[in-house]
Amino acid sequence: MEHEESHRFPRKKRRTRLCLIMGLCAVLSLVVIFAIYLGVVHSHVLSSYSPSSENLKKTIIDKCEAFIQNNKSSSANNCQKIWSAFEQAFVGRDPCNVPMEAYDPLMHTVIQDPVCNRMLFWSKTKKIVHDFTEKRDCFLTLEDTLVGFIMNGLTWCGKEKSNETFTTGCPGWTDCVNNTVRSFWNRASAAFADAACGDVTAMLNGSIATPFSPTSIFATIEVKRFKAAKIKSLSVVLVTKENKGTTCDDPSLQDLQKEIDPKLKYNCKAVPESKIQDCISHPDTACGACW
Ligand code: AVW
């Protein structure tokens, strides 16, 4: 009995210690869970309270500065001034009633040297064209210029009688004609086409029925602004899938030819997509050999 007692006592002690450790663990776990909860709630409250205009402003200024850092020829630009000129175009306005002219002050604020002979226009070929220019310096699209680079991928709008900027709940591309984002791209495309000079290239999609789509920005804005006094030639690169699809004789491309000034030399070449993909994967291939 005595022997049993002496054994029971240390076992009780051990149990008490185990209980203590388990209790401590439970308390610690609760503290950690509570801290995580607090962190999540706090960051959520912060993000829902901080106006999206602050986030958009930061995104735009950061992208602007990154671009200038990588493109020393753009160093005359002032990102703060660009932001101010940008926001005045749409803040306080009905997001369906922002004409492209609203972005005139922005376009006049941005300093962009034209790059004669290297300008690349595109329509329905967004991915392949940018995969290509990302790897090559021989061609430049609107999205490779300061203003195009900054706004590419962003959504924004304002609201009547409000000085806030929104990045969600904005009208979609086709919801209304004069929407904040579409008018920006129309205006920026107009400026890009106005600056076009020398030999100009356009990459169009030979896998669709109408490569020169009459409703596209390329057809409605850019081609209409090509000036024969500055532009020597327009070369169409018709991207085809294994030589299938539309050819350079396509009626829509004949419309394009009719649309441009006859003084401007026109040529068109159907190029298999695989050939351009090869050039994307082998950046050492000379640009002239890509099509
Ligand atoms: P695109 P663009 N809904 O490939 O010639 C949503 O037709 O117009 O080429 N987004 C749209 C819609 C739509 N219905 N239509 C166009 N977009 C947006 C600037 C979308 O982001 C350059 F200088 C699509 O990827 C090119 O030479 C983009 O607009 C020329 O304009 C292009 O549509 C390309 O305009």
Side-chain angles (χ1 to χ4, degrees):
M1 191 68 190
E2 215 182 86
H3 189 70
E4 218 178 48
E5 269 300 312
S6 68
H7 254 96
R8 260 171 62 191
F9 209 77
R11 207 185 297 157
K12 205 172 165 191
K13 235 179 163 179
R14 267 209 308 270
R15 209 180 299 147
T16 319
R17 208 182 300 151
L18 199 71
C19 282
L20 256 171
I21 293 170
M22 278 172 68
L24 212 68
C25 283
V27 170
L28 264 173
S29 311
L30 277 175
V31 168
V32 169
I33 290 168
F34 190 59
I36 292 171
Y37 169 75
L38 266 186
V40 169
V41 167
H42 185 66
S43 71
H44 181 73
V45 166
L46 260 188
S47 67
S48 57
Y49 274 94
S50 63
S52 64
S53 60
E54 276 311 304
N55 304 335
L56 183 70
K57 182 178 178 180
K58 189 178 174 335
T59 304
I60 286 182
I61 292 189
D62 285 355
K63 283 181 92 174
C64 176
E65 280 167 357
F67 185 91
I68 293 171
Q69 195 69 34
N70 290 322
N71 299 269
K72 296 291 178 213
S73 60
S74 300
S75 59
N77 283 285
N78 177 326
C79 295
Q80 192 63 51
K81 274 193 185 161
I82 287 177
W83 164 258
S84 303
F86 169 68
E87 65 165 353
Q88 69 75 46
F90 64 91
V91 169
R93 281 195 185 215
D94 171 354
C96 272
N97 195 14
V98 176
M100 61 187 266
E101 293 74 24
Y103 291 98
D104 285 356
L106 170 67
M107 299 318 294
H108 295 142
T109 304
V110 176
I111 303 160
Q112 180 78 49
D113 290 336
V115 282
C116 298
N117 308 318
R118 287 168 57 208
M119 291 169 88
L120 180 55
F121 293 82
W122 57 273
S123 200
K124 316 275 186 255
T125 49
K126 191 172 188 177
K127 171 121 178 58
I128 193 160
V129 120
H130 293 115
D131 284 352
F132 182 80
T133 60
E134 200 181 292
K135 296 270 158 63
R136 306 301 183 106
D137 284 337
C138 44
F139 289 103
L140 211 86
T141 67
L142 168 59
E143 295 71 22
D144 302 307
T145 67
L146 176 60
V147 83
F149 172 82
I150 297 174
M151 307 310 172
N152 199 13
L154 302 183
T155 301
W156 66 91
C157 64
K159 199 164 96 180
E160 261 182 315
K161 301 187 189 82
S162 160
N163 57 6
E164 267 193 279
T165 300
F166 302 90
T167 50
T168 53
C170 299
W173 191 268
T174 50
D175 286 346
C176 43
V177 178
N178 282 332
N179 71 68
T180 327
V181 175
R182 188 166 170 173
S183 290
F184 164 78
W185 287 108
N186 285 344
R187 182 62 186 89
S189 304
F192 191 62
D194 284 342
C197 46
D199 296 317
V200 162
T201 308
M203 206 182 261
L204 304 181
N205 191 335
S207 302
I208 56 173
T210 321
F212 181 58
S213 161
T215 55
S216 64
I217 295 182
F218 180 61
T220 58
I221 307 229
E222 295 176 326
V223 167
K224 293 193 185 320
R225 293 193 175 232
F226 284 169
K227 295 172 194 73
K230 294 206 302 177
I231 303 177
K232 256 184 15 204
S233 68
L234 170 66
S235 300
V236 169
V237 173
L238 188 65
V239 187
T240 58
K241 284 207 162 75
E242 279 106 40
N243 286 321
K244 280 197 301 236
T246 42
T247 64
C248 283
D249 300 326
D250 182 75
S252 91
L253 294 175
Q254 288 170 19
D255 290 344
L256 166 59
Q257 213 175 336
K258 278 184 228 144
E259 184 84 43
I260 57 170
D261 192 311
K263 289 198 280 297
L264 214 150
K265 241 177 81 192
Y266 170 88
N267 63 75
C268 173
K269 190 174 178 187
V271 181
E273 190 183 318
S274 56
K275 194 168 178 192
I276 299 170
Q277 291 295 359
D278 262 3
C279 269
I280 294 169
S281 342
H282 301 101
D284 296 334
T285 317
C287 285
C290 292
W291 48 76

